[in-house]
PDB file of all heavy atoms in Angstrom:
ATOM      1  N   GLY A  66       1.587   0.529  -9.345  1.00  0.00           N
ATOM      2  CA  GLY A  66       2.573   1.096  -8.395  1.00  0.00           C
ATOM      3  C   GLY A  66       3.802   0.199  -8.307  1.00  0.00           C
ATOM      4  O   GLY A  66       4.126  -0.175  -7.190  1.00  0.00           O
ATOM      5  N   ASP A 130       7.015 -12.101   3.426  1.00  0.00           N
ATOM      6  CA  ASP A 130       7.455 -11.896   1.984  1.00  0.00           C
ATOM      7  C   ASP A 130       6.761 -10.619   1.420  1.00  0.00           C
ATOM      8  O   ASP A 130       6.704 -10.443   0.240  1.00  0.00           O
ATOM      9  CB  ASP A 130       7.092 -13.075   1.166  1.00  0.00           C
ATOM     10  CG  ASP A 130       5.621 -13.357   1.099  1.00  0.00           C
ATOM     11  OD1 ASP A 130       4.856 -12.731   1.830  1.00  0.00           O
ATOM     12  OD2 ASP A 130       5.202 -14.247   0.295  1.00  0.00           O
ATOM     13  N   GLY A 131       6.211  -9.759   2.260  1.00  0.00           N
ATOM     14  CA  GLY A 131       5.685  -8.554   1.780  1.00  0.00           C
ATOM     15  C   GLY A 131       4.377  -8.175   2.475  1.00  0.00           C
ATOM     16  O   GLY A 131       3.791  -8.997   3.198  1.00  0.00           O
ATOM     17  N   ALA A 132       3.944  -6.905   2.335  1.00  0.00           N
ATOM     18  CA  ALA A 132       2.773  -6.439   3.026  1.00  0.00           C
ATOM     19  C   ALA A 132       1.495  -6.932   2.430  1.00  0.00           C
ATOM     20  O   ALA A 132       0.486  -6.979   3.163  1.00  0.00           O
ATOM     21  CB  ALA A 132       2.800  -4.902   3.025  1.00  0.00           C
ATOM     22  N   LYS A 133       1.466  -7.278   1.194  1.00  0.00           N
ATOM     23  CA  LYS A 133       0.198  -7.683   0.584  1.00  0.00           C
ATOM     24  C   LYS A 133      -0.390  -8.961   1.311  1.00  0.00           C
ATOM     25  O   LYS A 133      -1.537  -8.974   1.633  1.00  0.00           O
ATOM     26  CB  LYS A 133       0.326  -7.924  -0.916  1.00  0.00           C
ATOM     27  CG  LYS A 133      -0.966  -8.226  -1.623  1.00  0.00           C
ATOM     28  CD  LYS A 133      -0.773  -8.468  -3.077  1.00  0.00           C
ATOM     29  CE  LYS A 133      -2.049  -8.262  -3.877  1.00  0.00           C
ATOM     30  NZ  LYS A 133      -1.814  -8.324  -5.286  1.00  0.00           N
ATOM     31  N   SER A 134       0.485  -9.923   1.383  1.00  0.00           N
ATOM     32  CA  SER A 134      -0.041 -11.162   2.015  1.00  0.00           C
ATOM     33  C   SER A 134      -0.377 -10.929   3.489  1.00  0.00           C
ATOM     34  O   SER A 134      -1.414 -11.449   3.922  1.00  0.00           O
ATOM     35  CB  SER A 134       0.996 -12.311   1.867  1.00  0.00           C
ATOM     36  OG  SER A 134       2.305 -11.841   2.073  1.00  0.00           O
ATOM     37  N   CYS A 136      -1.428  -8.093   4.932  1.00  0.00           N
ATOM     38  CA  CYS A 136      -2.675  -7.313   5.184  1.00  0.00           C
ATOM     39  C   CYS A 136      -3.867  -8.026   4.624  1.00  0.00           C
ATOM     40  O   CYS A 136      -5.029  -7.696   4.977  1.00  0.00           O
ATOM     41  CB  CYS A 136      -2.522  -5.837   4.782  1.00  0.00           C
ATOM     42  SG  CYS A 136      -2.262  -5.523   3.034  1.00  0.00           S
ATOM     43  N   TYR A 156      -6.529   0.860  -1.185  1.00  0.00           N
ATOM     44  CA  TYR A 156      -5.965  -0.377  -1.732  1.00  0.00           C
ATOM     45  C   TYR A 156      -6.996  -1.499  -1.549  1.00  0.00           C
ATOM     46  O   TYR A 156      -7.458  -1.826  -0.468  1.00  0.00           O
ATOM     47  CB  TYR A 156      -4.747  -0.663  -0.769  1.00  0.00           C
ATOM     48  CG  TYR A 156      -3.842  -1.844  -1.193  1.00  0.00           C
ATOM     49  CD1 TYR A 156      -3.351  -1.974  -2.470  1.00  0.00           C
ATOM     50  CD2 TYR A 156      -3.392  -2.705  -0.191  1.00  0.00           C
ATOM     51  CE1 TYR A 156      -2.536  -2.988  -2.758  1.00  0.00           C
ATOM     52  CE2 TYR A 156      -2.521  -3.772  -0.505  1.00  0.00           C
ATOM     53  CZ  TYR A 156      -2.124  -3.922  -1.802  1.00  0.00           C
ATOM     54  OH  TYR A 156      -1.268  -4.905  -2.080  1.00  0.00           O
ATOM     55  N   TYR A 159      -7.865  -4.947   1.181  1.00  0.00           N
ATOM     56  CA  TYR A 159      -8.499  -5.053   2.437  1.00  0.00           C
ATOM     57  C   TYR A 159      -9.945  -5.534   2.304  1.00  0.00           C
ATOM     58  O   TYR A 159     -10.380  -6.497   2.993  1.00  0.00           O
ATOM     59  CB  TYR A 159      -8.571  -3.691   3.190  1.00  0.00           C
ATOM     60  CG  TYR A 159      -7.293  -2.905   3.173  1.00  0.00           C
ATOM     61  CD1 TYR A 159      -7.318  -1.515   3.070  1.00  0.00           C
ATOM     62  CD2 TYR A 159      -6.056  -3.528   3.249  1.00  0.00           C
ATOM     63  CE1 TYR A 159      -6.153  -0.766   3.067  1.00  0.00           C
ATOM     64  CE2 TYR A 159      -4.882  -2.779   3.253  1.00  0.00           C
ATOM     65  CZ  TYR A 159      -4.917  -1.381   3.130  1.00  0.00           C
ATOM     66  OH  TYR A 159      -3.776  -0.679   3.101  1.00  0.00           O
ATOM     67  N   CYS A 208      -4.673   3.337   5.698  1.00  0.00           N
ATOM     68  CA  CYS A 208      -3.518   3.213   4.789  1.00  0.00           C
ATOM     69  C   CYS A 208      -2.977   4.588   4.761  1.00  0.00           C
ATOM     70  O   CYS A 208      -3.514   5.467   4.183  1.00  0.00           O
ATOM     71  CB  CYS A 208      -4.065   2.748   3.446  1.00  0.00           C
ATOM     72  SG  CYS A 208      -2.787   2.590   2.209  1.00  0.00           S
ATOM     73  N   PRO A 210       0.863   6.690   4.189  1.00  0.00           N
ATOM     74  CA  PRO A 210       0.197   7.462   3.182  1.00  0.00           C
ATOM     75  C   PRO A 210      -0.772   6.615   2.386  1.00  0.00           C
ATOM     76  O   PRO A 210      -0.524   5.435   2.149  1.00  0.00           O
ATOM     77  CB  PRO A 210       1.335   7.933   2.300  1.00  0.00           C
ATOM     78  CG  PRO A 210       2.581   7.924   3.166  1.00  0.00           C
ATOM     79  CD  PRO A 210       2.352   6.785   4.056  1.00  0.00           C
ATOM     80  N   ASN A 212      -2.825   4.917  -0.451  1.00  0.00           N
ATOM     81  CA  ASN A 212      -2.923   4.493  -1.842  1.00  0.00           C
ATOM     82  C   ASN A 212      -4.374   4.327  -2.131  1.00  0.00           C
ATOM     83  O   ASN A 212      -5.045   3.549  -1.527  1.00  0.00           O
ATOM     84  CB  ASN A 212      -2.179   3.159  -2.019  1.00  0.00           C
ATOM     85  CG  ASN A 212      -2.361   2.628  -3.413  1.00  0.00           C
ATOM     86  OD1 ASN A 212      -2.843   3.289  -4.317  1.00  0.00           O
ATOM     87  ND2 ASN A 212      -2.002   1.340  -3.602  1.00  0.00           N
ATOM     88  N   ASP A 240      -1.570   0.259   7.518  1.00  0.00           N
ATOM     89  CA  ASP A 240      -0.681  -0.044   6.412  1.00  0.00           C
ATOM     90  C   ASP A 240       0.182   1.108   6.107  1.00  0.00           C
ATOM     91  O   ASP A 240      -0.228   2.106   5.535  1.00  0.00           O
ATOM     92  CB  ASP A 240      -1.562  -0.440   5.186  1.00  0.00           C
ATOM     93  CG  ASP A 240      -0.732  -1.044   4.046  1.00  0.00           C
ATOM     94  OD1 ASP A 240       0.481  -0.832   4.042  1.00  0.00           O
ATOM     95  OD2 ASP A 240      -1.315  -1.622   3.121  1.00  0.00           O
ATOM     96  N   ALA A 242       2.969   1.009   4.053  1.00  0.00           N
ATOM     97  CA  ALA A 242       3.843   0.498   2.973  1.00  0.00           C
ATOM     98  C   ALA A 242       4.623   1.731   2.342  1.00  0.00           C
ATOM     99  O   ALA A 242       5.673   1.557   1.785  1.00  0.00           O
ATOM    100  CB  ALA A 242       3.065  -0.195   1.979  1.00  0.00           C
ATOM    101  N   TYR A 243       4.036   2.918   2.377  1.00  0.00           N
ATOM    102  CA  TYR A 243       4.651   4.074   1.724  1.00  0.00           C
ATOM    103  C   TYR A 243       5.296   5.053   2.657  1.00  0.00           C
ATOM    104  O   TYR A 243       5.581   6.205   2.353  1.00  0.00           O
ATOM    105  CB  TYR A 243       3.628   4.781   0.860  1.00  0.00           C
ATOM    106  CG  TYR A 243       3.054   3.982  -0.197  1.00  0.00           C
ATOM    107  CD1 TYR A 243       1.912   3.182  -0.018  1.00  0.00           C
ATOM    108  CD2 TYR A 243       3.710   3.821  -1.442  1.00  0.00           C
ATOM    109  CE1 TYR A 243       1.437   2.343  -1.021  1.00  0.00           C
ATOM    110  CE2 TYR A 243       3.265   3.004  -2.455  1.00  0.00           C
ATOM    111  CZ  TYR A 243       2.102   2.241  -2.214  1.00  0.00           C
ATOM    112  OH  TYR A 243       1.683   1.410  -3.187  1.00  0.00           O
ATOM    113  N   ARG A 270       4.447  -3.155   7.122  1.00  0.00           N
ATOM    114  CA  ARG A 270       5.548  -2.462   6.371  1.00  0.00           C
ATOM    115  C   ARG A 270       6.022  -3.345   5.221  1.00  0.00           C
ATOM    116  O   ARG A 270       5.896  -4.545   5.330  1.00  0.00           O
ATOM    117  CB  ARG A 270       6.674  -2.157   7.328  1.00  0.00           C
ATOM    118  CG  ARG A 270       6.413  -1.215   8.407  1.00  0.00           C
ATOM    119  CD  ARG A 270       6.504   0.235   7.902  1.00  0.00           C
ATOM    120  NE  ARG A 270       6.541   1.192   8.933  1.00  0.00           N
ATOM    121  CZ  ARG A 270       7.597   1.862   9.445  1.00  0.00           C
ATOM    122  NH1 ARG A 270       8.813   1.651   8.969  1.00  0.00           N
ATOM    123  NH2 ARG A 270       7.486   2.700  10.437  1.00  0.00           N
ATOM    124  N   SER A 271       6.569  -2.642   4.216  1.00  0.00           N
ATOM    125  CA  SER A 271       7.051  -3.341   3.044  1.00  0.00           C
ATOM    126  C   SER A 271       8.403  -2.819   2.684  1.00  0.00           C
ATOM    127  O   SER A 271       8.765  -1.646   2.934  1.00  0.00           O
ATOM    128  CB  SER A 271       6.017  -3.037   1.941  1.00  0.00           C
ATOM    129  OG  SER A 271       6.571  -3.451   0.710  1.00  0.00           O
ATOM    130  N   PHE A 272       9.260  -3.667   2.063  1.00  0.00           N
ATOM    131  CA  PHE A 272      10.501  -3.191   1.505  1.00  0.00           C
ATOM    132  C   PHE A 272      10.334  -2.882  -0.032  1.00  0.00           C
ATOM    133  O   PHE A 272      11.327  -2.580  -0.660  1.00  0.00           O
ATOM    134  CB  PHE A 272      11.549  -4.278   1.648  1.00  0.00           C
ATOM    135  CG  PHE A 272      12.132  -4.382   3.055  1.00  0.00           C
ATOM    136  CD1 PHE A 272      11.295  -4.804   4.107  1.00  0.00           C
ATOM    137  CD2 PHE A 272      13.428  -4.119   3.330  1.00  0.00           C
ATOM    138  CE1 PHE A 272      11.811  -4.884   5.410  1.00  0.00           C
ATOM    139  CE2 PHE A 272      13.972  -4.226   4.641  1.00  0.00           C
ATOM    140  CZ  PHE A 272      13.125  -4.621   5.703  1.00  0.00           C
ATOM    141  N   SER A 273       9.119  -2.980  -0.453  1.00  0.00           N
ATOM    142  CA  SER A 273       8.844  -2.819  -1.945  1.00  0.00           C
ATOM    143  C   SER A 273       9.089  -1.429  -2.471  1.00  0.00           C
ATOM    144  O   SER A 273       9.723  -1.224  -3.479  1.00  0.00           O
ATOM    145  CB  SER A 273       7.419  -3.276  -2.251  1.00  0.00           C
ATOM    146  OG  SER A 273       7.344  -4.618  -2.182  1.00  0.00           O
ATOM    147  N   LYS A 274       8.469  -0.444  -1.767  1.00  0.00           N
ATOM    148  CA  LYS A 274       8.491   0.876  -2.297  1.00  0.00           C
ATOM    149  C   LYS A 274       9.676   1.745  -1.868  1.00  0.00           C
ATOM    150  O   LYS A 274      10.105   2.610  -2.558  1.00  0.00           O
ATOM    151  CB  LYS A 274       7.164   1.607  -1.957  1.00  0.00           C
ATOM    152  CG  LYS A 274       5.959   0.682  -1.998  1.00  0.00           C
ATOM    153  CD  LYS A 274       5.520   0.382  -3.395  1.00  0.00           C
ATOM    154  CE  LYS A 274       4.416  -0.635  -3.385  1.00  0.00           C
ATOM    155  NZ  LYS A 274       3.680  -0.713  -4.574  1.00  0.00           N
ATOM    156  N   PHE A 278      11.949  -3.680  -3.610  1.00  0.00           N
ATOM    157  CA  PHE A 278      11.862  -5.153  -3.441  1.00  0.00           C
ATOM    158  C   PHE A 278      10.538  -5.760  -4.025  1.00  0.00           C
ATOM    159  O   PHE A 278      10.156  -6.829  -3.582  1.00  0.00           O
ATOM    160  CB  PHE A 278      11.899  -5.515  -1.938  1.00  0.00           C
ATOM    161  CG  PHE A 278      13.270  -5.681  -1.349  1.00  0.00           C
ATOM    162  CD1 PHE A 278      14.236  -4.695  -1.563  1.00  0.00           C
ATOM    163  CD2 PHE A 278      13.648  -6.736  -0.550  1.00  0.00           C
ATOM    164  CE1 PHE A 278      15.528  -4.763  -1.054  1.00  0.00           C
ATOM    165  CE2 PHE A 278      14.885  -6.809  -0.013  1.00  0.00           C
ATOM    166  CZ  PHE A 278      15.843  -5.905  -0.266  1.00  0.00           C
ATOM    167  N   THR A 279       9.915  -5.046  -4.922  1.00  0.00           N
ATOM    168  CA  THR A 279       8.630  -5.508  -5.441  1.00  0.00           C
ATOM    169  C   THR A 279       8.775  -6.978  -6.009  1.00  0.00           C
ATOM    170  O   THR A 279       7.865  -7.797  -5.866  1.00  0.00           O
ATOM    171  CB  THR A 279       7.970  -4.627  -6.530  1.00  0.00           C
ATOM    172  OG1 THR A 279       8.988  -4.342  -7.463  1.00  0.00           O
ATOM    173  CG2 THR A 279       7.505  -3.290  -5.871  1.00  0.00           C
ATOM    174  N   ARG A 282      10.792  -9.370  -2.795  1.00  0.00           N
ATOM    175  CA  ARG A 282       9.817  -9.745  -1.714  1.00  0.00           C
ATOM    176  C   ARG A 282      10.316  -9.704  -0.336  1.00  0.00           C
ATOM    177  O   ARG A 282      11.038 -10.614   0.092  1.00  0.00           O
ATOM    178  CB  ARG A 282       9.187 -11.142  -2.059  1.00  0.00           C
ATOM    179  CG  ARG A 282       8.653 -11.292  -3.470  1.00  0.00           C
ATOM    180  CD  ARG A 282       7.608 -10.276  -3.862  1.00  0.00           C
ATOM    181  NE  ARG A 282       6.531 -10.156  -2.959  1.00  0.00           N
ATOM    182  CZ  ARG A 282       5.897  -9.009  -2.671  1.00  0.00           C
ATOM    183  NH1 ARG A 282       6.297  -7.861  -3.248  1.00  0.00           N
ATOM    184  NH2 ARG A 282       4.945  -8.956  -1.814  1.00  0.00           N
ATOM    185  N   LEU A 283       9.981  -8.728   0.453  1.00  0.00           N
ATOM    186  CA  LEU A 283      10.221  -8.724   1.845  1.00  0.00           C
ATOM    187  C   LEU A 283       9.366  -7.654   2.532  1.00  0.00           C
ATOM    188  O   LEU A 283       9.149  -6.541   1.965  1.00  0.00           O
ATOM    189  CB  LEU A 283      11.756  -8.349   2.083  1.00  0.00           C
ATOM    190  CG  LEU A 283      12.301  -8.609   3.493  1.00  0.00           C
ATOM    191  CD1 LEU A 283      12.254 -10.026   3.940  1.00  0.00           C
ATOM    192  CD2 LEU A 283      13.701  -8.123   3.583  1.00  0.00           C
ATOM    193  N   GLY A 284       8.874  -7.976   3.686  1.00  0.00           N
ATOM    194  CA  GLY A 284       8.054  -7.033   4.420  1.00  0.00           C
ATOM    195  C   GLY A 284       7.996  -7.464   5.880  1.00  0.00           C
ATOM    196  O   GLY A 284       8.639  -8.487   6.224  1.00  0.00           O
ATOM    197  N   TYR A 367       2.029   8.941  -5.317  1.00  0.00           N
ATOM    198  CA  TYR A 367       0.810   8.911  -6.095  1.00  0.00           C
ATOM    199  C   TYR A 367       0.154  10.288  -6.251  1.00  0.00           C
ATOM    200  O   TYR A 367       0.200  11.077  -5.317  1.00  0.00           O
ATOM    201  CB  TYR A 367      -0.211   7.984  -5.417  1.00  0.00           C
ATOM    202  CG  TYR A 367       0.173   6.537  -5.425  1.00  0.00           C
ATOM    203  CD1 TYR A 367       0.291   5.826  -4.291  1.00  0.00           C
ATOM    204  CD2 TYR A 367       0.423   5.947  -6.667  1.00  0.00           C
ATOM    205  CE1 TYR A 367       0.705   4.457  -4.343  1.00  0.00           C
ATOM    206  CE2 TYR A 367       0.862   4.578  -6.702  1.00  0.00           C
ATOM    207  CZ  TYR A 367       0.924   3.879  -5.495  1.00  0.00           C
ATOM    208  OH  TYR A 367       1.348   2.572  -5.555  1.00  0.00           O
ATOM    209  N   ARG A 408      -5.754   7.836 -10.689  1.00  0.00           N
ATOM    210  CA  ARG A 408      -4.411   7.815 -10.035  1.00  0.00           C
ATOM    211  C   ARG A 408      -3.311   7.730 -11.102  1.00  0.00           C
ATOM    212  O   ARG A 408      -3.359   6.895 -11.997  1.00  0.00           O
ATOM    213  CB  ARG A 408      -4.348   6.566  -9.131  1.00  0.00           C
ATOM    214  CG  ARG A 408      -3.094   6.551  -8.229  1.00  0.00           C
ATOM    215  CD  ARG A 408      -2.901   5.238  -7.574  1.00  0.00           C
ATOM    216  NE  ARG A 408      -2.329   4.230  -8.470  1.00  0.00           N
ATOM    217  CZ  ARG A 408      -2.003   3.003  -8.045  1.00  0.00           C
ATOM    218  NH1 ARG A 408      -2.112   2.643  -6.842  1.00  0.00           N
ATOM    219  NH2 ARG A 408      -1.499   2.135  -8.952  1.00  0.00           N
TER     220      ARG A 408
HETATM  221  N1  PLP B   8       0.038  -1.964   0.818  1.00  0.00           N
HETATM  222  C1  PLP B   8      -0.267  -0.984  -0.003  1.00  0.00           C
HETATM  223  C2  PLP B   8      -1.069   0.160   0.415  1.00  0.00           C
HETATM  224  C3  PLP B   8       0.151  -1.116  -1.331  1.00  0.00           C
HETATM  225  O1  PLP B   8      -0.196  -0.180  -2.206  1.00  0.00           O
HETATM  226  C4  PLP B   8       0.875  -2.254  -1.735  1.00  0.00           C
HETATM  227  C5  PLP B   8       1.265  -2.420  -3.136  1.00  0.00           C
HETATM  228  O2  PLP B   8       1.010  -1.701  -4.083  1.00  0.00           O
HETATM  229  C6  PLP B   8       1.214  -3.189  -0.797  1.00  0.00           C
HETATM  230  C7  PLP B   8       0.700  -3.043   0.490  1.00  0.00           C
HETATM  231  C8  PLP B   8       1.918  -4.431  -1.177  1.00  0.00           C
HETATM  232  O3  PLP B   8       3.268  -4.411  -0.692  1.00  0.00           O
HETATM  233  P1  PLP B   8       4.136  -5.649  -0.933  1.00  0.00           P
HETATM  234  O4  PLP B   8       4.872  -5.522  -2.230  1.00  0.00           O
HETATM  235  O5  PLP B   8       5.104  -5.570   0.243  1.00  0.00           O
HETATM  236  O6  PLP B   8       3.395  -6.930  -0.899  1.00  0.00           O
END
Side-chain angles (χ1 to χ4, degrees):
D130 64 351
K133 187 180 200 172
S134 41
C136 64
Y156 186 48
Y159 315 144
C208 179
N212 173 12
D240 188 344
Y243 297 93
R270 291 279 190 104
S271 168
F272 283 64
S273 288
K274 320 289 172 159
F278 276 48
T279 52
R282 309 305 304 145
L283 192 64
Y367 293 123
R408 189 190 79 173

